[in-house]
């Protein structure tokens, strides 16, 4: 009958500038798609950005055409490498390699790459079939907020429904036999249907291209994304795709990157296929598979029947039809009556606790296996934050064992390389944890037996190699140097010292721990007779980063931090999840204990210092404040105006004003710490990450005199109005 189409989308775990590895993964995905009968294969955004083949690396001389046009392959993780000629060179080599590969024959391949056209760089999709480039479609709506800075490297294509000639470089002409190909806002017409392209952020825009394409008869929409994980975000993605095809019918294919490509974000897959508002095929959100291909067989008549009742002819006088590029190729076959079609499925969404156990764990594994190191080292204090980091590493080991048990040979190969044992076969997460994870409790005279025991018990349950280290000798040595130079010996506040002395004594303890952490990370495996070094893990949460409630260059200063974008509230829920699902009973006592840095002297052997008392607000209050500051774009006055309603049952306007002022003083005084904060897994939309997500000054006038005066005036006015009543 010729109306059923089989199409493939995929998730690829790409790595910036890994030329050979990324090309191999693209070809594997195309091969798998063909093996499942697909006639169209969609890949993630800018997927070729890292690729090349060593067989072509000798082709150093590029022959340019006379069009001032330039084709290149790069990608999100490349950042300013987009500007380098080497990136463009290697990308040309990859495109040629893909075109020449027998794997790419008899299937429409839709790949992502940047293209320089008339000396302007665009983020594009390139569609090719049987050594011929069919069309190049540049991105029209850019992602330029939050983690994304696309306009730094790319320009949007603003010429709606316009197509120009793109002159191919001679290297590509030699393969395709083409001089020019269509470049612009166009769609692909096969003999049996019409396919239109969206690129990542275009789906999220209120003027998404699929709206006009659908009204002009395009039946299949594709979206190639590089969409990162945030807690509680997956449902937004799914709902947008379902909505796109609910309104006017159609088939929607979604592809996404997966994994850590060398930066702070984790791309969380979720490849899917939907038709007429229903999801019919779903890929994993979190997985250790480097290549995941999702295929679906769907009936084009279902789209036509759905639209037959809903869609009306175009009535606008200025309506511009899509420019159609025709290709002599069919996605369907004549004899498909017995071919079954995919039916709607219900999407399973992970809870935030499950997301924390999966996303950061996959990110850590990508970082570890690609860094060439032999494991992790974590200063384990026995508190919620460091215990959360430890549990994420344990969750990583759980996933690795499951992947190996499921027959993932690539994971097994990577595990063996990391542990330095070609015969090793991981079966038990605790056993694997002992090989790749070292924890250490760094005690001082201010540490309690309670925290020491909690750290030891958790280490025993997750299986890490655990050490007890006493830092008092190092602290006294550093203070001795200071005393020898100045003739003064600082004292804690409890012993009559000033606030300056008290803070300095806390900081020296914290910084000694950082120095010792790196020493043991470099040499602990050497001391055990094993090769390699360890990556130091940090454990400062997003709320502490927001207020600067940590010592600059303390043991929160590490190589990477899997919880730096996660709130304390979510971390507590995550630990409860681990206690119940992984039987880590030691976590219950950790959750019951008050959070403390244990940097001041104990009182009768008990902790006298707590985090929330030091900060003057609870962690749950900080989460609310953080969201208002970043997501709601609130300054001090706007935040006060919102919180007097949010907290009206617990705090008076005067008390709210004091909390708002205290927060902004702490935030502004400590903002400089964010310039050196450890690279962290991005998980929250209110992250204060200074690298690219939350760009702010780091030198403030911490008095906020004008803003605070506005708050005071409002409090006075509210009090007067209350008195009149």
């Amino acid at each position: 009958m010729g109306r059923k189409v089989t199409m493939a989308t995929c998730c690829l775990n790409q790595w910036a500038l890994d030329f050979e590895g990324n090309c191999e993964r693209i070809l594997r995905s195309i091969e798998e798609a063909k093996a499942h009968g697909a006639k169209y294969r969609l890949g993630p955004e800018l997927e070729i950005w890292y690729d090349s083949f060593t067989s072509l690396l000798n082709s150093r001389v590029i022959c340019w055409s006379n069009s001032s046009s330039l084709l290149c392959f790069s990608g999100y993780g490349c950042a300013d490498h987009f500007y380098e000629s080497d990136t463009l060179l290697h990308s040309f080599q990859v495109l040629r390699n893909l075109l020449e590969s027998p794997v790419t024959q008899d299937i429409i391949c839709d790949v992502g790459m940047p293209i320089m056209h008339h000396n302007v760089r665009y983020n594009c999709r390139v569609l090719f079939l049987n050594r011929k480039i069919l069309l190049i479609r540049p991105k029209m709506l850019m992602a330029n907020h939050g983690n994304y800075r696309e306009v730094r490297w790319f320009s949007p294509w603003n010429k709606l429904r316009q197509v120009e000639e793109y002159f191919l470089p001679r290297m590509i002409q030699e393969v395709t036999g083409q001089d020019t190909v269509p470049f612009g806002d166009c769609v692909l017409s096969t003999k049996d249907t019409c396919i239109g392209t969206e690129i990542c952020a275009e789906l999220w825009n209120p003027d998404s291209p699929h709206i006009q394409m659908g009204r002009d008869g395009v039946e299949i929409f594709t979206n190639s994304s590089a969409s990162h994980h945030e807690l509680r975000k997956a449902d937004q993605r799914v709902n947008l795709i379902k909505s796109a095809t609910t309104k006017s019918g159609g088939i929607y294919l979604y592809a996404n990157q997966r994994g850590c490509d060398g930066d702070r974000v984790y791309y969380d897959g979720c490849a899917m296929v939907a038709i007429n508002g229903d999801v019919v095929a779903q890929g994993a959100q979190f997985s250790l598979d480097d290549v995941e291909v999702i295929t679906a067989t769907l009936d084009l008549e279902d789209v036509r029947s759905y639209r037959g009742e809903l869609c009306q002819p175009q009535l606008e006088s200025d309506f511009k039809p899509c420019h159609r590029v025709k290709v002599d190729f069919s996605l369907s076959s004549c004899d498909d009556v017995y071919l079954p079609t995919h039916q709607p499925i219900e999407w399973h969404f992970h809870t935030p606790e499950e997301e924390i156990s999966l996303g950061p764990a996959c990110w850590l594994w990508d970082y570890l296996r690609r860094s060439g190191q032999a494991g992790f080292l974590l200063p384990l204090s026995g508190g919620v934050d460091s215990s959360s980091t430890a549990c994420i590493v344990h969750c990583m080991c759980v996933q690795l064992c499951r992947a190996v048990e499921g027959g993932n040979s690539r994971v097994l190969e990577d595990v063996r390389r990391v542990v330095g044992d070609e015969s090793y076969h991981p079966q038990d997460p605790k056993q694997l944890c002992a090989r790749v994870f070292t924890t250490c409790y760094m005690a001082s005279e201010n540490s309690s037996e309670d925290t020491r025991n909690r750290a030891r018990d958790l280490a025993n349950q997750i299986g890490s190699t655990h050490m007890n280290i006493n830092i008092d000798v190092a602290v006294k040595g550093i203070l001795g140097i200071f005393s020898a130079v100045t003739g003064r010996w600082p004292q804690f506040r409890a012993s009559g010292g000033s606030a300056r002395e008290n803070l300095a004594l806390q900081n020296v303890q914290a910084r000694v721990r950082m120095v010792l952490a790196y020493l043991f990370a470099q040499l602990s495996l050497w001391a055990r007779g094993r090769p390699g070094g360890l990556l130091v893990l940090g454990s400062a949460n997003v709320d502490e980063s927001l207020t600067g409630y940590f010592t600059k260059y303390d043991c929160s200063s590490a190589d990477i931090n899997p919880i730096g974008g996660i709130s304390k509230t979510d971390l507590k829920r995550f630990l409860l999840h681990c206690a119940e699902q992984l039987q880590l009973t030691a976590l219950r006592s950790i959750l019951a204990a008050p959070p403390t840095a244990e940097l001041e002297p104990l009182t009768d052997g008990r902790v006298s210092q707590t985090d929330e008392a030091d900060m003057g607000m609870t962690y749950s209050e900080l989460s609310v404040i953080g969201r208002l500051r970043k997501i709601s774009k609130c300054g001090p006055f706007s935040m006060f105006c919102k919180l007097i309603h949010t907290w009206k049952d617990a705090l008076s306007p005067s008390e709210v004003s004091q909390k708002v002022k205290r927060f902004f003083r702490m935030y502004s005084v400590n903002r400089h710490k964010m310039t050196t904060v450890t690279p962290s897994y991005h998980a929250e939309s209110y992250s204060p990450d200074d690298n690219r997500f939350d760009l702010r000054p780091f030198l403030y006038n911490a008095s906020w005199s004008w803003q605070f005066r506005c708050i005071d005036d409002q409090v006075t006015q509210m009090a007067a109005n209350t008195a009149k009543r």
Side-chain angles (χ1 to χ4, degrees):
M1 294 180 66
R3 66 185 200 180
K4 295 178 181 177
V5 295
T6 300
M7 310 180 74
T9 181
C10 65
C11 297
L12 304 182
N13 192 335
Q14 305 294 67
W15 185 17
L17 303 175
D18 175 23
F19 301 116
E20 293 177 81
N22 290 304
C23 189
E24 184 267 337
R25 284 184 282 272
I26 290 174
L27 289 172
R28 276 174 54 199
S29 70
I30 297 171
E31 195 168 27
E32 287 188 31
K34 289 176 67 175
H36 287 90
K39 292 295 185 69
Y40 181 98
R41 175 268 183 198
L42 174 72
E45 184 176 14
L46 293 166
E47 61 185 307
I48 309 181
W49 46 292
Y50 332 79
D51 308 29
S52 182
F53 256 167
T54 52
S55 62
L56 291 170
L57 289 178
N58 294 325
S59 304
R60 184 63 177 126
V61 179
I62 300 296
C63 298
W64 303 90
S65 70
N66 60 0
S67 67
S68 298
S69 297
L70 169 63
L71 177 64
C72 66
F73 302 89
S74 200
Y76 265 102
C78 286
D80 283 357
H81 287 290
F82 281 124
Y83 299 137
E84 298 172 1
S85 62
D86 278 9
T87 305
L88 310 184
L89 165 68
H90 302 326
S91 298
F92 273 118
Q93 295 166 338
V94 174
L95 176 60
R96 175 167 179 153
N97 181 267
L98 291 176
L99 286 166
E100 291 180 327
S101 172
V103 172
T104 63
Q105 302 305 297
D106 301 320
I107 182 172
I108 296 176
C109 296
D110 185 339
V111 297
M113 60 196 73
I115 292 178
M116 189 173 283
H117 178 54
H118 296 164
N119 295 326
V120 179
R121 190 180 291 103
Y122 297 98
N123 176 352
C124 297
R125 302 303 298 175
V126 174
L127 280 68
F128 63 88
L129 169 69
N130 294 337
R131 299 167 68 98
K132 300 288 185 183
I133 294 176
L134 304 175
L135 63 85
I136 300 172
R137 199 284 211 175
K139 191 171 185 177
M140 297 187 291
L141 302 169
M142 313 303 288
N144 199 48
H145 66 284
N147 285 301
Y148 299 106
R149 296 287 181 272
E150 277 195 291
V151 295
R152 181 178 175 91
W153 307 295
F154 303 115
S155 295
W157 181 260
N158 293 320
K159 303 175 183 179
L160 186 68
R161 300 290 186 267
Q162 293 186 39
V163 176
E164 299 178 355
E165 281 189 319
Y166 174 74
F167 283 81
L168 295 169
R170 193 171 301 170
M171 173 189 285
I172 307 303
Q173 292 179 23
E174 292 172 354
V175 178
T176 65
Q178 300 166 288
D179 294 328
T180 64
V181 294
F183 183 102
D185 181 12
C186 50
V187 298
L188 183 67
S189 283
T190 64
K191 295 170 71 175
D192 49 1
T193 188
C194 188
I195 305 168
T197 296
E198 287 189 327
I199 305 176
C200 198
E202 293 175 350
L203 169 65
W204 301 73
N205 193 279
D207 193 21
S208 295
H210 71 258
I211 298 172
Q212 292 301 321
M213 289 192 294
R215 297 172 73 184
D216 194 32
V218 175
E219 297 177 325
I220 299 172
F221 311 110
T222 66
N223 186 298
S224 51
S225 274
S227 181
H228 67 276
H229 172 241
E230 276 184 7
L231 295 175
R232 307 170 179 88
K233 175 184 172 183
D235 63 316
Q236 300 176 41
R237 203 183 280 146
V238 175
N239 290 338
L240 280 169
I241 290 170
K242 291 170 67 175
S243 173
T245 57
T246 298
K247 289 179 290 188
S248 59
I251 297 170
Y252 204 108
L253 276 73
Y254 176 82
N256 195 17
Q257 302 236 36
R258 170 180 288 144
C260 167
D261 70 345
D263 213 328
R264 291 160 171 80
V265 297
Y266 175 82
Y267 299 105
D268 60 333
C270 290
M272 70 186 90
V273 181
I275 179 171
N276 299 341
D278 293 317
V279 175
V280 296
Q282 168 190 352
Q285 183 176 11
F286 307 104
S287 173
L288 300 180
D289 293 331
D290 286 343
V291 175
E292 181 187 35
V293 177
I294 304 299
T295 58
T297 300
L298 297 169
D299 194 335
L300 292 172
E301 286 301 313
D302 289 338
V303 175
R304 294 158 187 165
S305 298
Y306 188 92
R307 287 180 170 178
E309 182 177 358
L310 295 178
C311 298
Q312 302 298 323
Q314 290 293 344
L315 301 178
E316 298 96 330
S317 59
D318 61 344
F319 177 77
K320 296 180 179 180
C322 299
H323 180 96
R324 282 168 160 77
V325 176
K326 298 176 182 178
V327 57
D328 186 16
F329 186 78
S330 296
L331 299 186
S332 60
S333 62
C334 295
D335 186 20
D336 62 6
V337 66
Y338 296 109
L339 188 65
T341 58
H342 282 64
Q343 299 304 307
I345 60 173
E346 184 176 347
W347 191 284
H348 168 70
F349 293 104
H350 292 291
T351 65
E353 297 78 25
E354 291 172 337
E355 289 185 89
I356 296 171
S357 72
L358 296 168
C362 292
W363 183 75
L364 282 182
W365 174 240
D366 277 348
Y367 201 102
L368 176 60
R369 68 189 177 115
R370 289 171 170 172
S371 69
Q373 298 302 297
F376 298 114
L377 180 136
L378 171 70
L380 184 59
S381 69
V384 166
D385 295 331
S386 61
S387 297
S388 296
T389 297
C391 287
I392 289 172
V393 176
H394 180 70
C395 290
M396 180 195 80
C397 293
V398 170
Q399 290 190 66
L400 290 171
C401 289
R402 288 175 180 169
V404 171
E405 184 181 0
N408 192 320
S409 59
R410 292 176 185 269
V411 169
L412 178 59
E413 178 183 338
D414 286 336
V415 169
R416 287 174 170 172
R417 180 171 47 80
V418 168
V419 302
D421 184 350
E422 291 300 318
S423 63
Y424 179 62
H425 195 93
Q427 295 177 318
D428 177 44
K430 286 184 64 175
Q431 177 196 64
L432 178 57
C433 214
R435 286 183 174 247
V436 301
F437 192 30
T438 298
T439 54
C440 55
Y441 180 82
M442 297 185 177
S444 75
E445 61 186 12
N446 302 318
S447 302
S448 67
E449 280 299 316
D450 290 340
T451 53
R452 184 196 303 269
N453 293 338
R454 288 196 287 266
R456 179 202 62 210
D457 293 345
L458 179 59
N460 287 339
Q461 290 186 5
I462 65 175
S464 65
T465 299
H466 189 65
M467 300 179 290
N468 282 305
I469 304 170
N470 192 291
I471 69 171
D472 288 334
V473 174
V475 172
K476 286 182 170 60
I478 292 173
L479 293 177
I481 295 172
F482 176 82
S483 180
V485 173
T486 65
R488 304 288 298 275
W489 192 281
Q491 300 293 325
F492 281 105
R493 182 164 40 204
S495 300
S498 65
R500 278 192 294 175
E501 294 170 77
N502 196 68
L503 183 59
L505 288 173
Q506 293 182 65
N507 288 343
V508 73
Q509 295 172 76
R511 288 171 178 145
V512 162
R513 286 180 172 133
M514 181 202 71
V515 173
L516 288 173
Y518 274 98
L519 175 65
F520 278 88
Q522 287 182 296
L523 294 180
S524 60
L525 292 185
W526 167 78
R528 295 179 225 161
R530 287 180 52 193
L534 303 174
L535 293 166
V536 179
L537 294 181
S539 55
N541 63 63
V542 69
D543 300 319
E544 290 173 344
S545 297
L546 189 61
T547 59
Y549 185 69
F550 61 91
T551 301
K552 197 174 188 179
Y553 305 119
D554 69 350
C555 61
S556 65
S557 296
D559 293 312
I560 50 175
N561 179 3
I563 69 165
I566 305 175
S567 72
K568 191 84 159 191
T569 303
D570 281 334
L571 290 176
K572 288 182 175 180
R573 292 171 180 155
F574 163 64
L575 290 187
L576 184 59
H577 168 81
C578 291
E580 295 172 349
Q581 300 300 318
L582 302 177
Q583 288 75 52
L584 301 178
T585 56
L587 293 174
R588 298 194 181 278
S589 61
I590 292 170
L591 285 166
T596 174
E598 287 196 333
L599 294 173
E600 294 190 45
L602 303 175
T603 302
D604 297 326
R606 295 289 179 181
V607 171
S608 59
Q609 174 194 36
T610 63
D611 295 351
E612 293 182 337
D614 282 355
M615 292 188 295
M617 60 194 75
T618 66
Y619 280 106
S620 60
E621 290 172 340
L622 266 178
S623 290
V624 174
I625 287 174
R627 287 181 169 85
L628 288 176
R629 182 198 71 99
K630 177 65 177 176
I631 301 173
S632 300
K633 315 297 190 293
C634 286
F637 182 72
S638 297
M639 185 179 293
F640 166 77
C641 292
K642 289 182 180 294
L643 288 177
I644 55 175
H645 300 288
T646 304
W647 291 345
K648 63 181 179 180
D649 295 330
L651 299 173
S652 67
S654 178
E655 291 170 325
V656 170
S657 74
Q658 292 307 310
K659 284 191 181 287
V660 171
K661 291 178 185 178
R662 182 170 178 82
F663 166 75
F664 275 98
R665 287 194 192 99
M666 292 178 66
Y667 161 76
S668 56
V669 167
N670 291 315
R671 180 65 188 185
H672 65 94
K673 296 179 181 179
M674 293 309 299
T675 64
T676 61
V677 74
T678 297
S680 301
Y681 180 97
H682 177 85
E684 268 294 356
S685 54
Y686 72 95
S687 168
D689 170 36
D690 183 67
N691 174 258
R692 65 179 181 183
F693 184 73
D694 188 49
L695 305 181
R696 315 263 177 152
F698 57 85
L699 178 62
Y700 282 90
N701 181 343
S703 67
W704 300 85
S705 55
W706 189 284
Q707 295 92 330
F708 287 0
R709 186 163 58 250
C710 289
I711 293 175
D712 292 339
D713 291 345
Q714 190 65 46
V715 171
T716 301
Q717 183 179 341
M718 293 176 71
N721 291 340
T722 302
K724 289 178 182 178
R725 296 174 192 164

